[in-house]
């Protein structure tokens, strides 16, 4: 994480050396009202999809929560975790506070946390595999130095992991992991997890995508690949909001398609919609 942060600082200061505030302001002003409303609607949809994570997680834990409680726990948990970093810890702490107040045991809460954490991973691997098959040259440097078929073959292990989880959920109710028994959710729930998470990742990436100016060759699928790589690096770094690390990866990924000012302008609006505004709303809800 520290290495990623240091590298991010180096890249960001290099990119900003020839960039003025006025250029960024102009780029932000060029974003159409239609794009702003589209991004706002997609942000609402993204957080509604995340609420289904918690709903399914509570069903898996054996103590189904109401939709209002699932929405509250999910929105506050994800909004705070996105900004604080250390998602598995900060999001779990918020859920512990809510679900324990609603009468759930520590084991039931742990099941919800484990279920929601795994769900995003399934979606990321399923969608990441699709990106590698359709747009394998999206990977910086590798796209020009590694054969196309070799990059496409990287989708196989990702899909095998997802398939293994679904198959195990179909034929086994309990598996042993590091000496501990883990209850699997069943076939229908495992399929629902995978499809739901795939939609979540695609919708979240689309928030950013609609804010960008049109660029030749930059399809939604290709951008999803760039977004997934940047978001994953942000999680690995455990920096609050992936700050610096996520932004650097996005800058590098979009460099062939548009100028730095356009990327930064869209990035600031994306952070406002998906990170900052939900943080303030969830902060007031959580405090209340």
């Amino acid at each position: 994480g520290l290495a990623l942060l240091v590298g991010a600082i180096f890249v960001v200061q290099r990119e900003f050396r020839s960039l003025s505030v006025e250029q960024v302001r102009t780029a932000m002003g060029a974003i159409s009202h239609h794009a702003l409303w589209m991004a706002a609607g997609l942000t609402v949809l993204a957080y509604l999809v995340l609420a289904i994570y918690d709903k399914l997680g509570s069903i898996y834990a054996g103590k189904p929560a109401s939709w209002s409680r699932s929405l509250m726990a999910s929105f506050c948990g994800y909004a705070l975790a996105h900004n604080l970093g250390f998602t598995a810890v900060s999001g779990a702490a918020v859920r512990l506070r809510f679900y324990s107040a609603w009468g759930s045991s520590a084991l039931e809460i742990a099941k919800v946390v484990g279920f929601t954490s795994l769900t995003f991973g399934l979606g990321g691997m399923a969608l990441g595999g699709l990106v590698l098959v359709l747009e394998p040259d999206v990977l910086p440097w590798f796209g020009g130095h590694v054969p196309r078929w070799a990059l496409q073959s990287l989708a196989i292990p990702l899909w095998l992991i997802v398939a293994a989880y679904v198959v195990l959920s179909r034929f086994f109710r309990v598996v042993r992991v590091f000496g501990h028994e883990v209850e699997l959710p069943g076939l229908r729930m495992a399929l629902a997890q995978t499809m739901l998470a795939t939609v979540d990742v695609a919708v979240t990436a689309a928030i950013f995508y609609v804010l960008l100016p049109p660029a030749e060759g930059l399809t939604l699928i290709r951008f999803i690949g760039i977004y997934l790589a940047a978001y994953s690096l942000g999680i690995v770094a455990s920096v609050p909001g992936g700050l610096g690390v996520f932004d650097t990866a996005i800058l590098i990924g979009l460099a062939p398609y548009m100028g730095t000012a356009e990327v930064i302008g869209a990035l600031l609006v994306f952070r406002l919609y998906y990170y900052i505004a939900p943080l303030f709303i969830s902060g007031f809800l959580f405090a209340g």
Side-chain angles (χ1 to χ4, degrees), residues 9-49:
I9 291 172
F10 171 76
V11 173
V12 168
Q13 65 85 25
R14 185 189 65 191
E15 293 291 335
F16 275 54
R17 191 177 300 161
S18 59
L19 195 66
S20 69
V21 174
E22 188 56 40
Q23 287 175 297
V24 177
R25 187 178 298 160
T26 301
M28 292 176 71
I31 300 174
S32 69
H33 288 91
H34 175 71
L36 292 172
W37 281 110
M38 280 280 292
L42 288 168
T43 301
V44 173
L45 179 60
Y47 276 99
L48 288 176
V49 171

Short mmCIF file of all heavy atoms in Angstrom, two decimals, residues 9-49:
data_model
loop_
_atom_site.label_atom_id
_atom_site.label_comp_id
_atom_site.label_asym_id
_atom_site.label_seq_id
_atom_site.Cartn_x
_atom_site.Cartn_y
_atom_site.Cartn_z
N ILE A 9 1.79 9.42 -5.84
CA ILE A 9 2.18 10.82 -5.61
C ILE A 9 3.13 11.29 -6.71
O ILE A 9 3.01 12.40 -7.22
CB ILE A 9 2.85 10.97 -4.23
CG1 ILE A 9 1.80 10.75 -3.13
CG2 ILE A 9 3.48 12.34 -4.07
CD1 ILE A 9 2.38 10.68 -1.73
N PHE A 10 4.06 10.42 -7.09
CA PHE A 10 5.02 10.77 -8.15
C PHE A 10 4.30 11.03 -9.47
O PHE A 10 4.56 12.03 -10.15
CB PHE A 10 6.04 9.63 -8.32
CG PHE A 10 6.93 9.80 -9.52
CD1 PHE A 10 7.97 10.72 -9.53
CD2 PHE A 10 6.71 9.05 -10.68
CE1 PHE A 10 8.78 10.88 -10.64
CE2 PHE A 10 7.50 9.20 -11.79
CZ PHE A 10 8.54 10.12 -11.77
N VAL A 11 3.39 10.13 -9.85
CA VAL A 11 2.68 10.28 -11.13
C VAL A 11 1.78 11.50 -11.11
O VAL A 11 1.74 12.28 -12.07
CB VAL A 11 1.86 9.00 -11.44
CG1 VAL A 11 0.99 9.21 -12.68
CG2 VAL A 11 2.78 7.81 -11.65
N VAL A 12 1.04 11.70 -10.01
CA VAL A 12 0.10 12.81 -9.93
C VAL A 12 0.82 14.16 -10.02
O VAL A 12 0.41 15.06 -10.76
CB VAL A 12 -0.75 12.73 -8.64
CG1 VAL A 12 -1.51 14.02 -8.42
CG2 VAL A 12 -1.72 11.57 -8.74
N GLN A 13 1.93 14.30 -9.29
CA GLN A 13 2.64 15.60 -9.34
C GLN A 13 3.25 15.84 -10.71
O GLN A 13 3.32 16.98 -11.18
CB GLN A 13 3.71 15.66 -8.23
CG GLN A 13 4.86 14.68 -8.34
CD GLN A 13 6.00 15.16 -9.22
OE1 GLN A 13 6.17 16.36 -9.39
NE2 GLN A 13 6.75 14.23 -9.78
N ARG A 14 3.65 14.77 -11.40
CA ARG A 14 4.17 14.91 -12.76
C ARG A 14 3.08 15.36 -13.72
O ARG A 14 3.29 16.23 -14.56
CB ARG A 14 4.76 13.57 -13.22
CG ARG A 14 5.46 13.64 -14.59
CD ARG A 14 5.80 12.25 -15.08
NE ARG A 14 4.59 11.47 -15.34
CZ ARG A 14 4.60 10.16 -15.57
NH1 ARG A 14 5.73 9.49 -15.56
NH2 ARG A 14 3.47 9.52 -15.80
N GLU A 15 1.88 14.77 -13.58
CA GLU A 15 0.76 15.11 -14.45
C GLU A 15 0.26 16.53 -14.18
O GLU A 15 -0.18 17.23 -15.08
CB GLU A 15 -0.38 14.10 -14.27
CG GLU A 15 -0.07 12.70 -14.74
CD GLU A 15 0.05 12.61 -16.25
OE1 GLU A 15 -0.52 13.45 -16.95
OE2 GLU A 15 0.75 11.69 -16.73
N PHE A 16 0.31 16.94 -12.91
CA PHE A 16 -0.23 18.25 -12.53
C PHE A 16 0.74 19.39 -12.81
O PHE A 16 0.36 20.56 -12.72
CB PHE A 16 -0.60 18.25 -11.04
CG PHE A 16 -1.98 17.71 -10.78
CD1 PHE A 16 -2.35 16.47 -11.26
CD2 PHE A 16 -2.90 18.44 -10.05
CE1 PHE A 16 -3.62 15.96 -11.02
CE2 PHE A 16 -4.17 17.95 -9.81
CZ PHE A 16 -4.53 16.70 -10.29
N ARG A 17 1.98 19.06 -13.14
CA ARG A 17 2.99 20.09 -13.32
C ARG A 17 2.60 21.09 -14.40
O ARG A 17 2.86 22.29 -14.28
CB ARG A 17 4.34 19.41 -13.64
CG ARG A 17 5.54 20.36 -13.60
CD ARG A 17 6.81 19.57 -13.86
NE ARG A 17 7.03 18.53 -12.86
CZ ARG A 17 7.84 17.48 -13.02
NH1 ARG A 17 8.49 17.34 -14.16
NH2 ARG A 17 7.98 16.59 -12.06
N SER A 18 1.99 20.60 -15.46
CA SER A 18 1.61 21.48 -16.58
C SER A 18 0.11 21.74 -16.63
O SER A 18 -0.43 22.14 -17.66
CB SER A 18 2.07 20.85 -17.90
OG SER A 18 1.47 19.58 -18.06
N LEU A 19 -0.58 21.49 -15.52
CA LEU A 19 -2.03 21.62 -15.49
C LEU A 19 -2.44 22.79 -14.60
O LEU A 19 -1.91 22.95 -13.49
CB LEU A 19 -2.64 20.32 -14.95
CG LEU A 19 -4.13 20.10 -15.15
CD1 LEU A 19 -4.45 19.94 -16.63
CD2 LEU A 19 -4.58 18.86 -14.39
N SER A 20 -3.37 23.60 -15.08
CA SER A 20 -3.86 24.73 -14.27
C SER A 20 -5.27 24.45 -13.77
O SER A 20 -6.00 23.63 -14.34
CB SER A 20 -3.86 26.01 -15.11
OG SER A 20 -4.86 25.94 -16.12
N VAL A 21 -5.66 25.15 -12.72
CA VAL A 21 -7.00 25.01 -12.16
C VAL A 21 -8.03 25.42 -13.20
O VAL A 21 -9.12 24.81 -13.30
CB VAL A 21 -7.14 25.87 -10.88
CG1 VAL A 21 -8.58 25.85 -10.39
CG2 VAL A 21 -6.20 25.37 -9.80
N GLU A 22 -7.71 26.42 -13.99
CA GLU A 22 -8.64 26.91 -15.00
C GLU A 22 -8.94 25.83 -16.05
O GLU A 22 -10.07 25.70 -16.53
CB GLU A 22 -8.08 28.15 -15.67
CG GLU A 22 -9.05 28.86 -16.60
CD GLU A 22 -10.34 29.25 -15.91
OE1 GLU A 22 -10.29 29.69 -14.74
OE2 GLU A 22 -11.41 29.10 -16.53
N GLN A 23 -7.91 25.05 -16.42
CA GLN A 23 -8.11 23.97 -17.38
C GLN A 23 -9.09 22.93 -16.84
O GLN A 23 -9.96 22.44 -17.56
CB GLN A 23 -6.78 23.31 -17.72
CG GLN A 23 -5.85 24.15 -18.59
CD GLN A 23 -4.50 23.49 -18.78
OE1 GLN A 23 -3.75 23.30 -17.82
NE2 GLN A 23 -4.19 23.14 -20.02
N VAL A 24 -8.92 22.58 -15.57
CA VAL A 24 -9.81 21.60 -14.94
C VAL A 24 -11.23 22.17 -14.84
O VAL A 24 -12.21 21.47 -15.10
CB VAL A 24 -9.29 21.20 -13.54
CG1 VAL A 24 -10.26 20.25 -12.86
CG2 VAL A 24 -7.92 20.55 -13.65
N ARG A 25 -11.33 23.44 -14.46
CA ARG A 25 -12.63 24.09 -14.35
C ARG A 25 -13.35 24.11 -15.71
O ARG A 25 -14.55 23.87 -15.79
CB ARG A 25 -12.44 25.51 -13.82
CG ARG A 25 -13.74 26.23 -13.49
CD ARG A 25 -13.45 27.62 -12.94
NE ARG A 25 -12.68 27.54 -11.69
CZ ARG A 25 -11.97 28.54 -11.21
NH1 ARG A 25 -11.89 29.69 -11.88
NH2 ARG A 25 -11.32 28.41 -10.06
N THR A 26 -12.60 24.38 -16.76
CA THR A 26 -13.18 24.38 -18.11
C THR A 26 -13.67 22.99 -18.49
O THR A 26 -14.75 22.83 -19.07
CB THR A 26 -12.14 24.87 -19.13
OG1 THR A 26 -11.70 26.19 -18.78
CG2 THR A 26 -12.72 24.88 -20.53
N ALA A 27 -12.87 21.97 -18.15
CA ALA A 27 -13.25 20.59 -18.46
C ALA A 27 -14.51 20.19 -17.70
O ALA A 27 -15.39 19.51 -18.26
CB ALA A 27 -12.10 19.64 -18.11
N MET A 28 -14.61 20.60 -16.45
CA MET A 28 -15.81 20.29 -15.66
C MET A 28 -17.03 21.03 -16.22
O MET A 28 -18.14 20.48 -16.27
CB MET A 28 -15.59 20.67 -14.19
CG MET A 28 -14.56 19.81 -13.49
SD MET A 28 -14.22 20.35 -11.79
CE MET A 28 -15.75 19.89 -10.98
N GLY A 29 -16.82 22.27 -16.66
CA GLY A 29 -17.91 23.04 -17.23
C GLY A 29 -18.43 22.47 -18.54
O GLY A 29 -19.56 22.73 -18.94
N ALA A 30 -17.57 21.69 -19.21
CA ALA A 30 -17.95 21.10 -20.50
C ALA A 30 -18.84 19.87 -20.34
O ALA A 30 -19.41 19.38 -21.32
CB ALA A 30 -16.70 20.74 -21.29
N ILE A 31 -18.94 19.34 -19.11
CA ILE A 31 -19.80 18.17 -18.87
C ILE A 31 -21.26 18.61 -19.00
O ILE A 31 -21.70 19.55 -18.33
CB ILE A 31 -19.55 17.57 -17.47
CG1 ILE A 31 -18.09 17.13 -17.33
CG2 ILE A 31 -20.48 16.38 -17.23
CD1 ILE A 31 -17.72 16.66 -15.94
N SER A 32 -22.01 17.96 -19.85
CA SER A 32 -23.39 18.37 -20.12
C SER A 32 -24.31 18.10 -18.94
O SER A 32 -24.02 17.24 -18.09
CB SER A 32 -23.92 17.63 -21.35
OG SER A 32 -24.09 16.25 -21.07
N HIS A 33 -25.43 18.85 -18.89
CA HIS A 33 -26.42 18.62 -17.84
C HIS A 33 -27.02 17.22 -17.94
O HIS A 33 -27.32 16.59 -16.92
CB HIS A 33 -27.53 19.68 -17.93
CG HIS A 33 -27.10 21.05 -17.49
ND1 HIS A 33 -26.58 21.97 -18.36
CD2 HIS A 33 -27.08 21.64 -16.26
CE1 HIS A 33 -26.27 23.07 -17.70
NE2 HIS A 33 -26.56 22.90 -16.43
N HIS A 34 -27.16 16.75 -19.16
CA HIS A 34 -27.68 15.39 -19.36
C HIS A 34 -26.75 14.36 -18.71
O HIS A 34 -27.22 13.43 -18.04
CB HIS A 34 -27.81 15.11 -20.86
CG HIS A 34 -28.23 13.70 -21.18
ND1 HIS A 34 -29.50 13.23 -20.94
CD2 HIS A 34 -27.52 12.66 -21.71
CE1 HIS A 34 -29.57 11.96 -21.31
NE2 HIS A 34 -28.39 11.59 -21.78
N ALA A 35 -25.44 14.53 -18.91
CA ALA A 35 -24.47 13.61 -18.32
C ALA A 35 -24.51 13.68 -16.79
O ALA A 35 -24.41 12.65 -16.11
CB ALA A 35 -23.07 13.92 -18.83
N LEU A 36 -24.68 14.87 -16.25
CA LEU A 36 -24.73 15.04 -14.80
C LEU A 36 -25.95 14.34 -14.21
O LEU A 36 -25.86 13.67 -13.17
CB LEU A 36 -24.76 16.53 -14.44
CG LEU A 36 -23.47 17.31 -14.73
CD1 LEU A 36 -23.69 18.81 -14.50
CD2 LEU A 36 -22.32 16.81 -13.85
N TRP A 37 -27.10 14.49 -14.87
CA TRP A 37 -28.31 13.81 -14.39
C TRP A 37 -28.20 12.30 -14.55
O TRP A 37 -28.66 11.53 -13.68
CB TRP A 37 -29.54 14.34 -15.13
CG TRP A 37 -30.02 15.66 -14.61
CD1 TRP A 37 -29.96 16.88 -15.24
CD2 TRP A 37 -30.64 15.90 -13.34
NE1 TRP A 37 -30.48 17.86 -14.43
CE2 TRP A 37 -30.93 17.30 -13.26
CE3 TRP A 37 -30.98 15.08 -12.26
CZ2 TRP A 37 -31.53 17.87 -12.15
CZ3 TRP A 37 -31.59 15.66 -11.16
CH2 TRP A 37 -31.87 17.04 -11.11
N MET A 38 -27.61 11.86 -15.65
CA MET A 38 -27.39 10.42 -15.86
C MET A 38 -26.51 9.84 -14.76
O MET A 38 -26.81 8.79 -14.19
CB MET A 38 -26.73 10.19 -17.22
CG MET A 38 -27.68 10.24 -18.40
SD MET A 38 -28.59 8.70 -18.61
CE MET A 38 -27.27 7.58 -19.11
N ALA A 39 -25.43 10.55 -14.45
CA ALA A 39 -24.51 10.08 -13.40
C ALA A 39 -25.21 10.05 -12.04
O ALA A 39 -25.00 9.12 -11.25
CB ALA A 39 -23.29 10.99 -13.35
N ALA A 40 -26.05 11.05 -11.77
CA ALA A 40 -26.77 11.08 -10.49
C ALA A 40 -27.73 9.90 -10.38
O ALA A 40 -27.80 9.22 -9.34
CB ALA A 40 -27.54 12.40 -10.37
N GLY A 41 -28.45 9.62 -11.47
CA GLY A 41 -29.38 8.49 -11.46
C GLY A 41 -28.66 7.16 -11.31
O GLY A 41 -29.11 6.27 -10.57
N LEU A 42 -27.53 7.01 -11.98
CA LEU A 42 -26.73 5.78 -11.87
C LEU A 42 -26.16 5.61 -10.47
O LEU A 42 -26.02 4.48 -9.97
CB LEU A 42 -25.61 5.80 -12.91
CG LEU A 42 -26.04 5.59 -14.37
CD1 LEU A 42 -24.90 5.92 -15.32
CD2 LEU A 42 -26.52 4.16 -14.60
N THR A 43 -25.83 6.73 -9.81
CA THR A 43 -25.32 6.66 -8.43
C THR A 43 -26.40 6.11 -7.50
O THR A 43 -26.13 5.24 -6.65
CB THR A 43 -24.87 8.05 -7.95
OG1 THR A 43 -23.86 8.54 -8.82
CG2 THR A 43 -24.32 7.98 -6.53
N VAL A 44 -27.62 6.63 -7.64
CA VAL A 44 -28.74 6.12 -6.83
C VAL A 44 -28.94 4.63 -7.09
O VAL A 44 -29.10 3.83 -6.17
CB VAL A 44 -30.03 6.90 -7.13
CG1 VAL A 44 -31.22 6.26 -6.42
CG2 VAL A 44 -29.88 8.36 -6.71
N LEU A 45 -28.92 4.24 -8.37
CA LEU A 45 -29.09 2.84 -8.74
C LEU A 45 -27.98 1.97 -8.14
O LEU A 45 -28.25 0.87 -7.63
CB LEU A 45 -29.09 2.70 -10.27
CG LEU A 45 -29.23 1.28 -10.83
CD1 LEU A 45 -30.53 0.63 -10.36
CD2 LEU A 45 -29.16 1.29 -12.35
N ALA A 46 -26.75 2.47 -8.17
CA ALA A 46 -25.62 1.70 -7.63
C ALA A 46 -25.80 1.42 -6.15
O ALA A 46 -25.56 0.29 -5.67
CB ALA A 46 -24.31 2.47 -7.86
N TYR A 47 -26.23 2.41 -5.38
CA TYR A 47 -26.42 2.20 -3.94
C TYR A 47 -27.65 1.34 -3.64
O TYR A 47 -27.69 0.64 -2.63
CB TYR A 47 -26.48 3.54 -3.20
CG TYR A 47 -25.10 4.08 -2.89
CD1 TYR A 47 -24.50 5.04 -3.70
CD2 TYR A 47 -24.38 3.60 -1.80
CE1 TYR A 47 -23.22 5.52 -3.42
CE2 TYR A 47 -23.10 4.07 -1.51
CZ TYR A 47 -22.53 5.02 -2.32
OH TYR A 47 -21.26 5.49 -2.04
N LEU A 48 -28.65 1.37 -4.52
CA LEU A 48 -29.79 0.48 -4.36
C LEU A 48 -29.38 -0.97 -4.60
O LEU A 48 -29.83 -1.88 -3.90
CB LEU A 48 -30.91 0.88 -5.32
CG LEU A 48 -31.67 2.17 -5.00
CD1 LEU A 48 -32.68 2.49 -6.10
CD2 LEU A 48 -32.38 2.06 -3.65
N VAL A 49 -28.51 -1.19 -5.59
CA VAL A 49 -28.00 -2.53 -5.85
C VAL A 49 -27.20 -3.04 -4.65
O VAL A 49 -27.32 -4.20 -4.25
CB VAL A 49 -27.14 -2.55 -7.12
CG1 VAL A 49 -26.41 -3.89 -7.28
CG2 VAL A 49 -27.99 -2.28 -8.35
#
